[in-house]
Amino acid sequence: DIPVEIHWCSHCRVPVLQEVSQADKGICPRCGSKMKYMSTDIRPVFPEERLLLEILLGRKPNEYKDKSVWAVNSRYYIDGKSVSLPKALFKTADVETIAHKLEENKAGNNYDAFNETIQRFVEANNTRLHYLKDEAHEFVKHEAAKFPQENIVISFSGGKDSTATADVVIKALSEPSLVHIFGDTTLEFPYTTEYAKRYREEHPQAIFKVARNNEQVFMDVCEDIGPPARMMRWCCSMFKTGPITRVINSLYRNQQILTFYGIRKSESVSRSKYNRVEDDAESVKIQQQTVASPIFFWKDMDVWLYLLAEKVDFNEAYRLGYDRVGCWCCPNNNQRAQFLSRIYMPERSRQWRDFLIDFAKKIGKPDPEVYVDEGSWKARQGGNGLPAAGSVKIKFSNCTSEEHAKIYRLERPFDDELVGMFVPFGRVAPELGQKLLREVIVLDPRSNVPILSIQPFDHDGYEHAVKVRTMNVADHDDLQRMVGYQIRKFNACRKCLKCESLCRAGAISIAGDYYYIDPDKCVHCKMCMTAKYLDGGCTMDKYLRTK
């Protein structure tokens, strides 16, 4: 993790990345000219985005065709001179007129000058490129040596980082037949879907698995619990982590695997706190894997240097100006990304905005259009205004006739699914309960002593209820707290698949609308009922909690 800076060589007309402490810092390694400081990171601007920039600046189309254009966020460098686009421009620009001008002038656009610039760029950063490749290859070999080759997986998202990671790993291990898992969230850019198809064709020996949640429809879930927000991205576990977990379970059952990810420290504040290799239960979203990141310390410029120098095919969305290509409607997308989607995905963008406005009206926002256009929906927290919010509230009464017994309200009738949710506590033994009362006893997994009694119950004010009594334990309140977590799951479960990802033993599965814990696989670790790993015992508590 060595500090670096990017300098501009006005003679070569390219950025050069150098270590802050190196002796010849500020001297171009290609031509020997003195350079000036530029920024901490940079990305190339492809001809398609350059044409858009010219239109936004009111310049003649293709005016900058022969210039070297680079960018970081909304700041552009045209032959080293800085031009910044105001954020307000992305909100107010006439996207229909811009789209028309782009279509009208794309025929006169070409890659001749851009390709020459990239050749000089690679030559000027050749030392850096060799360092990146050598270091990443050594890292990959070192980590891969700890696992059988068949237990090595590449996480493939279709973005530039996962593309670079996949290429590095395949070349480092000289193994083109590694398992790739592509998490198709159903919210991918069309360009990502096209690229994933191209990648499969270009890597015919790779075992390419697509992880997709075919049981949930994103918009239906949005209607129920509201759209994802920055602090409430329920979509990640439901449409990405959960489906990937299912693919991993189908391939490896309960074996530990090594997954190479394209995570980089400089991407965000949260990712800067990660380690290059993670296997800690609190840090890894899928418990069955150790995560390793060969490009963890790379800058944006490093990724592009690698892809362009190695001539690796990549997602076409980057040519249009997107600097990240996750879900196209992600609440983490900035105004610039939303602006690009209004140009290149106009129909989807209109439909999404219409939905957000309808949602804002439903939860009682006084000015729905402002709420949406200002991006306030991204900061939404909890389930205020949503009927579904009531399902996460644990309602109970203390039993007056039995000590350490609580009567919990249920959203639906007592059934085998609810009984199955008590498997993590120990051995579920219905044969030991009073049959006339439909009582089920749960035995401690170590001592075989009864610790829970469960039975359906009629209670005033509750349409459906269950009575749970704790026994033979030192801390009755702690045990009842975990019981409450399972009751919340039963009432509020939206099949988000978070529990599946959390279970190291692969014991939890969602089959249709049925939440199932396999008693033969469950190791009674109670991670799925521990607030440290699952706040409130159910992910929906975070998304639907109200003040």
Side-chain angles (χ1 to χ4, degrees), residues 194-236:
E194 292 164 10
Y195 174 59
K197 183 181 178 183
R198 275 203 320 275
Y199 186 93
R200 294 181 74 169
E201 292 169 352
E202 292 166 5
H203 298 80
Q205 294 181 61
I207 300 169
F208 198 94
K209 297 289 185 179
V210 178
R212 181 184 175 117
N213 186 342
N214 292 313
E215 298 169 15
Q216 302 274 31
V217 178
F218 174 72
M219 292 306 297
D220 290 348
V221 184
C222 287
E223 290 280 0
D224 179 28
I225 64 174
R230 287 195 189 101
M231 301 301 292
M232 304 198 313
R233 296 201 307 276
W234 51 260
C235 44
C236 292

Side-chain angles (χ1 to χ4, degrees), residues 118-179:
I118 294 304
Q119 185 176 341
R120 296 194 304 274
F121 168 65
V122 172
E123 290 170 1
N125 291 280
N126 199 41
T127 301
R128 175 71 176 178
L129 176 64
H130 284 300
Y131 165 73
L132 293 172
K133 289 165 64 176
D134 290 345
E135 196 281 334
H137 284 198
E138 286 303 311
F139 172 81
V140 169
K141 290 174 185 174
H142 181 266
E143 296 305 320
K146 303 172 186 176
F147 289 80
Q149 185 171 294
E150 59 269 21
N151 285 33
I152 295 173
V153 170
I154 295 172
S155 177
F156 181 81
S157 70
K160 69 182 191 307
D161 296 342
S162 74
T163 296
T165 298
D167 197 70
V168 164
V169 173
I170 289 169
K171 288 175 178 174
L173 300 179
S174 300
E175 183 50 71
S177 61
L178 292 172
V179 173

